[in-house]
Amino acid sequence: MVLTADERAIETRHLGFTVSPHEECGVEEAVRIAEAQGGEVTVVTLGPPEAEEQLREMLALGADRAILLETDGADWDPEATAAALVEVIEGEAPDLVIFGNESADSGGYQVGIRVAHALARPIVTGLKALAVEDGQLRGQQETGDVYRVPLPAVVTVKEGINLPRYPSVPAKLRARRKPVDRVQPAARAPRIELVRLRVPEGRGHQAEVLGEGPSAAPAVVELLQRLGVA
Amino acid sequence: MIASAIALALALVVAGGLFARRALLLTRLVRMGKPSGIAREDDVPVRLRNEAVVVLGQRKLLQRLVPGIMHAFIFWAFIVLFPAIPIAMIAIVDADAAPHWGWYELLANVFCVLALLGVATAFYIRKVVRPRRFDGSHLGEADLILLWIASIVATLLAYHATESQVWAWAHVLLILGFLVYLPYSKHLHIATAAINVYFGRTRSRGRLEPLKFDEDVPEEEMRFGIGSVKDLTWKQMMDAFSCTECGRCQDACPAYATGKSLSPKLVIMGVRDHLFEEGPKALAAGDEYEGPPVASHGLLEEMAWDCVTCGACVEACPVNIEHIDHIVDLRRHLVMVESSFPSEAEPMLRDVERQANPWGKPQAERAAWSEGLDVRVLEPGDPVPEVLYWVGCAASFDERARETARSTAKLLQKAGVDFAILGPRESCTGDPARRMGNEFVFQAYAEENVATLNEQGVTKIVASCPHCFNTLAHEYPDFGGRYEVMHHTELLTSLVREGRLSPTASDQSITYHDSCYLARHNDVVSAPRELAAAVGQPVEMERREKQTFCCGAGGAHMWMEERAGPINEERVRQAAETGASTLAVACPFCTVMLDDGVKSSGRDMRVVDVATLLAESIDDAP
Amino acid sequence: MSVLVFMEAGDELSLQALTFARGIDPEAEIVAFGTAPAVAGVVHLAELGDYAPQAWARAIAGLGATTIVAAGSDRGNEVLAHAAVMTGGVFAANVIEAAGDDIVRMRWGGSLLEEARLHGDVRLMTVAPHAVAAEEAAGEPDVRTFTPELHDADMLVRVVERVDTSTGGLSLAEAPVVVSGGRGVGSAEGFEPLEDLASLLGAAVGCSRAVTSAGWRPHTDQVGQTGTKISPELYIPCGISGATQHMAGCKGAKKLLAINSDPEAPIMASADYAVVGDVLEVVPAISAELRRVRGAP
């Protein structure tokens, strides 16, 4: 991890960007539902202009249109993010809103829930299986807990709910022509105010090399015995 | 006389008509073919030279002496005996009017005998020797053709001996029958081979045909490789029509040799059979045609994934069929349209797309191999060095290949060469994505790298990886990147010749393994050998230079599982046969694959890049 | 009351949350549902049946605390997020340190730390698993049952059914030893030696994201930020380079033995012990040596 000089962001030079794994699975799930039952999938994100690239990737997965809540790339706390999303989602009046359980970077665990409350819709989180039928959804979590909730509703899903497809090139080319609407969201003063980022100190010690190749086996077994797991 | 004339005319009309009808279908099929992605009308002098050498001179066939001579006799006989046909026809109509040039008849008789010798040899090979290259070929058809040729030639000999019209008739009828049969059999190659050789690649064999993804091309017209029969290019159809099922490609293929289902011969035969099955339907249906994918024909899909793109098949083929184009085009459709490819390759494809290298390691660490060596990393706006060292993903991220980069950098520094690297701004050239069939991702990288190189003002590049070398030198020009590109062995050899590097030869026995992308696709064979000779005692393997045997990493196989016997172990076995202690390579993939092969077969050989050998030899010098 | 901690039960993570809350205020009180955990202290207990996140959050919000703490588990995060909306409070997840309004929390699964200031009358925090060691707190709870006032829609989302998802093998999240494979294993079949070693050690077998992407193992085996987070006594990653994604999933491991052919792989920086070599050679050798030492086949 390399930070910018002001310690408020990660140095992104030479880094590639992707969609958060939970969210990519969420889009795939939405596309599968729409493919099976008819319907339109819209993807929304909040981010700098470059985030359009990720929206296009999701359009290539099969979403029909995208909305970019354009910011200058600065940090937005979860409440501000949720409020901005609500303004757009309300207008869309979807039957189902899908979020990733938490974002890979800031991991706030609350945007979906805040949006659900603002929309006065029920929300089920952390789903590894989702089925939509007759105006109702059935959601199942990793633990095996099952929920049933009427639509319209909000869910958050976890990676592993499906394996996202590898988009075909015709789909990527079509994605270039699908509409991406841009909205300028109103910023709010963050209630989780970022002071600075820092990289945690390393373990402070080097790994003890037990050996090279198969000849290290006796040393390994001796370690296993010492640790009480052999 | 009149009766004979009428009879002959009738025969000509019937035979001609039947022939024309079939020829028309074949022509219509070829014209339905999509355009080729590279120019094939330029370099006329080279094309004509290929005709002379490969077709007239039968050079590729003569690589196997006995079958080569056998075929040459028959082929040259066809040419020499051609005037005998109109002579025989005149004789049929009016025996007295037929010319009897003694010198020609003597010449013709000699070639008839040679042809008969050829046929006899051919039967001997097919029935007694029975080489494995004929596994999968249609032997019955070949026997029929050989007997037919023998009869044609025998009737001519008989005519010359007796001057009887009966033999003339027999000769002409056999020939007319042959004419009708020709376009229904693999003997079609008589008509198509010369054309196929003419239109083959004249420059690097390693350059694939680019596809066009421009926005102004409507989606229905876009070509994503070979989906159904109407996606075949005209050149691919010509390839299919030129195949004689000789099996030389099959013999050369490392995948076939190690038990995979891939046989380049069966690929071309499969394409041909599918073309004859579906082609006429496509002609009839026009734009409405929706047929099965070519890849679904027989084992084509499975065979397409076994290929390492080594090019041994193309090198071996006497009619210059370009098998790799078929295989990569099949992969292109599977990958880009159907998203169907060996699942173990998915992480590699995603990493190339998102992380700019197939190892998925952070680009920011791309120059980490050079720690402590004080190598200049180019920033935008920096003055351009005399030569840019293109390190490549393997040498940047693989622990065994890194040594090559370090050795190369040290040698260049020692020789006082003004060089620099791009470091984190060097993205993957895209070669693995392209060979896997993901042309789309490849082009994105090509454009990005060309922009970086052009903005920096780079004109000269040295690469220590033959795949990077091939792509930079021969494929990037299609995307606006024109550079003078050398392989590191070429640069190092010239430095040694100039005396800027002075190695001393030790007594280690070294066998040098030619990389496919260096030797076969790009004809670089002597520079690495000079280096090997300068540092040790070279000993050669049997399969070397343009006949080299692949290490198994090409065609993105570095990232794919291998079914059946491992190609790398087979090559290591070949190397071990020389008794050498050192197996020298000039490619990071070969380094890893052959080192793996040595380890997994429990042998005792050191696998090392020639650059490292050179560096060691100079370091050790007193 | 000022500090309230939601304990799901007497489990390790809830005890860690309790320790954290008491670090802020030794008098921190506890809220629980169904059964009171066996710890000393005031426990506000409500009976609401099976898990219903919004209802439980409503109950918690109604207790009027100004600082609410819970474990950074799925339920902890969910309930506190609901409670944050209900109390108008500010909620920070995966906190590792707190002093007044200033907190330090995890980003990127712990590979990056965020120092932040919370603004709000009510503050909610979940504690990053294993950021704090659970202190001894066993005792007789002072149970005060209460009946929370719920809104109509609060019970709409609740567990209605339970499906058995156990795969029969040892649970990845609970196994004392985990042996994982990454790209360096080379293929699905390459996992056989790892499974062999795991069976000898009574360990569970995990994998990296590259392996699930390649289709060699199911996602349920994935150890990582978006997979299963493990905290075994000993973690043995084989042929895994140590990307951030993966390391976020095994931060809780007490000891880490890395087996990798690259001595400079990132995972070496986080390892306690290492063997440099080809996974497919080293792992079978370890299994063989184990068998030899045990004198059994």
Side-chain angles (χ1 to χ4, degrees):
Chain A
M1 288 266 175
V2 180
L3 299 176
T4 53
D6 64 0
E7 293 179 311
R8 295 181 67 81
I10 297 178
E11 175 58 70
T12 56
R13 203 177 170 223
H14 307 310
L15 286 185
F17 283 78
T18 69
V19 174
S20 218
H22 293 318
E23 291 161 13
E24 189 178 349
C25 290
V27 175
E28 171 70 27
E29 195 64 22
V31 171
R32 287 186 190 190
I33 293 172
E35 279 172 349
Q37 305 184 22
E40 194 193 63
V41 177
T42 305
V43 282
V44 187
T45 196
L46 180 109
E50 298 80 55
E52 181 183 336
E53 195 191 315
Q54 274 64 54
L55 287 174
R56 294 273 174 212
E57 277 176 36
M58 297 300 99
L59 290 171
L61 270 192
D64 302 289
R65 44 184 278 264
I67 303 175
L68 173 61
L69 289 149
E70 219 170 49
T71 68
D72 60 0
D75 234 40
W76 277 50
D77 82 345
E79 273 187 79
T81 306
L85 287 171
V86 165
E87 277 175 30
V88 165
I89 296 176
E90 255 172 352
E92 299 287 321
D95 299 302
L96 181 63
V97 186
I98 304 182
F99 287 88
N101 199 61
E102 80 275 6
S103 65
D105 51 6
S106 56
Y109 287 86
Q110 61 191 275
V111 171
I113 289 178
R114 288 186 178 276
V115 169
H117 276 271
L119 298 175
R121 308 260 181 88
I123 175 168
V124 194
T125 69
L127 297 182
K128 294 298 275 284
L130 173 62
V132 173
E133 206 179 24
D134 297 330
Q136 231 207 20
L137 78 83
R138 178 193 181 284
Q140 181 173 316
Q141 295 173 333
E142 222 158 8
T143 50
D145 287 346
V146 176
Y147 301 72
R148 276 181 224 279
V149 151
L151 295 180
V154 180
V155 298
T156 81
V157 303
K158 285 194 175 184
E159 187 191 35
I161 188 174
N162 57 47
L163 192 56
R165 67 197 66 188
Y166 187 78
S168 70
V169 170
K172 288 186 197 177
L173 293 171
R174 258 175 265 132
R176 285 185 188 165
R177 287 176 247 140
K178 290 183 182 174
V180 174
D181 299 329
R182 274 173 186 70
V183 172
Q184 313 302 321
R188 267 155 235 267
R191 292 216 291 160
I192 305 179
E193 183 200 340
L194 171 67
V195 171
R196 64 184 257 255
L197 297 173
R198 68 167 204 259
V199 181
E201 302 89 48
R203 291 165 96 91
H205 59 262
Q206 293 260 17
E208 183 191 322
V209 179
L210 299 176
E212 282 187 25
S215 60
V220 172
V221 172
E222 201 242 337
L223 168 70
L224 296 173
Q225 287 169 330
R226 249 192 300 136
L227 291 176
V229 298
Chain B
M1 187 160 101
I2 303 278
S4 332
I6 293 172
L8 180 62
L10 209 62
L12 280 170
V13 164
V14 168
L18 288 170
F19 172 80
R21 198 180 65 158
R22 179 70 173 176
L24 186 63
L25 170 66
L26 297 176
T27 313
R28 286 180 65 210
L29 283 173
V30 173
R31 291 180 73 183
M32 178 181 75
K34 291 286 184 297
S36 164
I38 57 173
R40 290 182 187 267
E41 295 96 35
D42 54 358
D43 287 343
V44 173
V46 179
R47 294 183 188 279
L48 290 174
R49 197 192 55 128
N50 285 341
E51 286 294 296
V53 169
V54 175
V55 178
L56 278 176
Q58 304 273 283
R59 190 202 67 177
K60 284 179 134 187
L61 278 162
L62 287 167
Q63 276 167 5
R64 285 171 198 254
L65 197 57
V66 173
I69 290 177
M70 174 279 289
H71 183 273
F73 282 175
I74 298 176
F75 172 63
W76 290 328
F78 259 77
I79 298 177
V80 169
L81 299 178
F82 193 77
I85 303 172
I87 292 174
M89 288 188 193
I90 297 172
I92 286 171
V93 173
D94 180 358
D96 301 317
H100 289 288
W101 301 312
W103 61 270
Y104 176 70
E105 285 187 13
L106 180 61
L107 185 68
N109 287 347
V110 166
F111 273 91
C112 282
V113 170
L114 289 178
L116 284 173
L117 264 174
V119 169
T121 312
F123 270 118
Y124 177 75
I125 293 171
R126 283 167 178 273
K127 301 302 176 194
V128 178
V129 178
R130 302 220 272 200
R132 301 293 312 279
R133 60 189 169 93
F134 288 130
D135 290 351
S137 305
H138 294 105
L139 296 173
E141 196 181 288
D143 291 344
L144 177 63
I145 290 169
L146 284 168
L147 286 171
W148 210 316
I149 292 173
S151 321
I152 289 175
V153 157
T155 51
L156 184 61
L157 276 171
Y159 168 67
H160 284 166
T162 65
E163 312 245 329
S164 154
Q165 271 187 329
V166 173
W167 288 117
W169 258 116
H171 184 70
V172 168
L173 283 176
L174 281 169
I175 285 186
L176 288 179
F178 195 71
L179 182 70
V180 172
Y181 182 60
L182 200 110
Y184 286 91
S185 72
K186 65 187 182 116
H187 233 64
L188 177 56
H189 81 275
I190 294 180
T192 56
I195 305 173
N196 206 49
V197 168
Y198 185 81
F199 286 115
R201 279 176 174 70
T202 50
R203 283 171 251 153
S204 170
R205 296 249 202 83
R207 172 194 177 207
L208 289 177
E209 295 192 11
L211 295 174
K212 278 199 192 317
F213 299 119
D214 306 337
E215 270 155 28
D216 34 316
V217 180
E219 199 187 306
E220 319 80 65
E221 276 176 34
M222 258 196 219
R223 187 173 173 269
F224 297 103
I226 300 175
S228 73
V229 73
K230 53 183 176 65
D231 293 319
L232 288 170
T233 64
W234 63 264
K235 177 61 170 58
Q236 285 162 344
M237 293 191 189
M238 286 300 293
D239 280 339
F241 291 156
S242 304
C243 176
T244 65
E245 305 182 14
C246 76
R248 283 165 175 78
C249 56
Q250 185 172 293
D251 257 6
C253 177
Y256 191 82
T258 47
K260 322 286 192 302
S261 43
L262 170 62
S263 150
K265 177 184 80 183
L266 293 176
V267 169
I268 303 300
M269 284 167 64
V271 170
R272 180 195 67 195
D273 292 344
H274 188 90
L275 176 57
F276 280 128
E277 246 174 65
E278 291 291 319
K281 294 184 201 166
L283 281 174
D287 283 336
E288 314 284 299
Y289 175 73
E290 275 194 31
V294 178
S296 67
H297 187 101
L299 288 175
L300 279 177
E301 184 171 339
E302 191 181 308
M303 293 200 283
W305 289 119
D306 286 334
C307 178
V308 288
T309 66
C310 76
C313 48
V314 181
E315 175 64 30
C317 181
V319 296
N320 283 10
I321 290 173
E322 294 166 320
H323 315 65
I324 297 182
D325 285 330
H326 293 244
I327 290 171
V328 172
D329 261 3
L330 284 168
R331 288 183 176 188
R332 282 170 170 175
H333 196 266
L334 289 166
V335 171
M336 293 197 291
V337 177
E338 296 176 37
S339 297
S340 157
F341 47 88
S343 59
E344 65 266 21
E346 181 156 349
M348 182 274 281
L349 276 180
R350 282 183 188 264
D351 284 338
V352 170
E353 259 180 294
R354 295 183 180 171
Q355 304 269 64
N357 67 75
W359 268 263
K361 301 223 176 139
Q363 281 289 101
E365 287 170 31
R366 207 166 164 110
W369 63 268
S370 67
E371 211 176 287
L373 290 182
D374 211 17
V375 172
R376 177 155 85 98
V377 177
L378 274 182
E379 295 294 329
D382 279 358
V384 61
E386 192 194 316
V387 64
L388 175 80
Y389 175 27
W390 186 278
V391 183
C393 303
S396 302
F397 296 120
D398 183 280
E399 61 272 13
R400 279 175 284 190
R402 267 183 222 135
E403 211 193 343
T404 306
R406 292 181 67 87
S407 305
T408 306
K410 281 192 241 172
L411 289 166
L412 293 178
Q413 282 170 338
K414 203 166 204 128
V417 175
D418 169 30
F419 77 99
I421 61 174
L422 280 174
R425 291 193 301 139
E426 180 192 282
S427 301
C428 182
T429 55
D431 163 85
R434 186 173 226 199
R435 305 308 144 193
M436 254 210 87
N438 202 328
E439 180 72 5
F440 193 69
V441 166
F442 164 72
Q443 288 193 11
Y445 278 104
E447 282 164 13
E448 194 183 298
N449 282 322
V450 165
T452 306
L453 290 166
N454 288 351
E455 266 160 32
Q456 202 74 41
V458 170
T459 52
K460 243 169 121 174
I461 304 178
V462 63
S464 48
C465 168
H467 290 256
C468 295
F469 163 69
N470 177 64
T471 295
L472 290 165
H474 299 294
E475 299 190 311
Y476 274 17
D478 288 324
F479 303 96
R482 256 157 263 276
Y483 319 101
E484 193 193 317
V485 187
M486 284 172 282
H487 186 249
H488 73 311
T489 54
E490 293 179 299
L491 178 55
L492 292 173
T493 303
S494 69
L495 291 172
V496 169
R497 283 196 202 145
E498 286 167 29
R500 288 160 79 173
L501 289 171
S502 309
T504 25
S506 72
D507 58 4
Q508 62 180 316
S509 54
I510 303 178
T511 186
Y512 170 69
H513 161 79
D514 288 280
S515 305
C516 301
Y517 274 71
L518 205 52
R520 194 157 29 231
H521 291 310
N522 289 300
D523 301 307
V524 176
V525 298
S526 48
R529 284 182 161 72
E530 257 184 67
L531 291 176
V535 301
Q537 314 304 315
V539 54
E540 295 278 7
M541 288 187 259
E542 196 183 309
R543 278 196 67 162
R544 61 181 185 276
E545 298 176 15
K546 288 185 93 73
Q547 268 70 47
T548 190
F549 191 94
C550 188
C551 72
H557 268 263
M558 183 83 173
W559 289 274
M560 294 199 248
E561 281 172 46
E562 211 172 343
R563 293 177 292 261
I567 291 176
N568 58 344
E569 278 184 26
E570 170 57 26
R571 184 54 167 171
V572 164
R573 190 194 62 78
Q574 294 172 11
E577 269 178 4
T578 64
S581 59
T582 304
L583 174 48
V585 294
C587 167
F589 288 165
C590 295
T591 308
V592 173
M593 296 301 283
L594 295 176
D595 192 46
D596 277 347
V598 163
K599 292 204 175 104
S600 59
S601 54
R603 290 179 200 276
D604 187 23
M605 279 183 96
R606 181 186 177 209
V607 177
V608 60
D609 191 283
V610 287
T612 303
L613 285 175
L614 184 61
E616 285 172 357
S617 144
I618 291 177
D619 280 340
D620 290 345
Chain C
M1 98 211 58
S2 66
V3 179
L4 179 67
V5 52
F6 162 48
M7 289 183 71
E8 292 174 54
D11 61 294
E12 172 83 16
L13 292 186
S14 296
L15 289 170
Q16 288 173 4
L18 178 64
T19 305
F20 184 87
R22 295 219 164 129
I24 298 174
D25 177 2
E27 305 297 309
E29 293 175 7
I30 296 160
V31 58
F33 297 90
T35 321
V39 292
V42 175
V43 175
H44 301 268
L45 185 69
E47 177 57 69
L48 289 176
D50 214 335
Y51 181 58
Q54 218 165 300
W56 289 24
R58 188 76 63 190
I60 293 172
L63 289 173
T66 51
T67 300
I68 307 176
V69 174
S73 62
D74 279 340
R75 287 191 177 179
N77 284 318
E78 184 177 32
V79 170
L80 257 60
H82 279 287
V85 178
M86 294 165 183
T87 57
V90 52
F91 167 45
N94 280 333
V95 176
I96 63 172
E97 274 170 44
D101 290 328
D102 294 328
I103 58 150
V104 180
R105 61 177 293 271
M106 292 191 338
R107 288 196 180 188
W108 286 103
S111 299
L112 190 62
L113 297 176
E114 172 188 345
E115 293 177 18
R117 186 161 297 128
L118 300 179
H119 298 276
D121 296 329
V122 181
R123 281 171 242 116
L124 302 97
M125 290 178 266
T126 54
V127 183
H130 311 298
V132 165
E135 272 168 19
E136 195 39 64
E140 195 60 40
D142 170 12
V143 179
R144 304 179 193 177
T145 48
F146 71 107
T147 312
E149 253 181 61
L150 302 178
H151 294 199
D152 288 335
D154 285 348
M155 287 302 275
L156 201 52
V157 179
R158 67 188 191 286
V159 177
V160 296
E161 193 189 315
R162 205 158 256 119
V163 165
D164 182 14
T165 53
S166 60
T167 46
L170 196 47
S171 146
L172 203 54
E174 283 156 18
V177 181
V178 176
V179 180
S180 273
R183 256 162 115 169
V185 172
S187 67
E189 291 74 42
F191 272 82
E192 278 164 36
L194 273 71
E195 295 196 357
D196 186 36
L197 178 60
S199 69
L200 287 173
L201 295 174
V205 176
C207 68
S208 68
R209 192 152 176 260
V211 166
T212 43
S213 276
W216 298 343
R217 310 270 310 180
H219 187 268
T220 41
D221 284 357
Q222 185 177 310
V223 171
Q225 188 180 344
T226 50
T228 304
K229 300 191 178 104
I230 60 173
S231 53
E233 293 299 314
L234 174 63
Y235 181 47
I236 310 180
C238 306
I240 293 181
S241 64
T244 318
Q245 229 271 0
H246 187 80
M247 299 318 292
C250 60
K251 288 165 43 54
K254 312 283 186 303
K255 293 285 180 197
L256 194 152
L257 161 63
I259 303 179
N260 200 299
S261 56
D262 184 357
E264 288 170 54
I267 198 155
M268 296 302 188
S270 309
D272 297 294
Y273 311 96
V275 173
V276 179
D278 184 342
V279 169
L280 297 176
E281 284 176 11
V282 173
V283 173
I286 299 174
S287 298
E289 179 67 12
L290 261 176
R291 289 195 162 93
R292 191 190 68 77
V293 157
R294 290 180 185 177

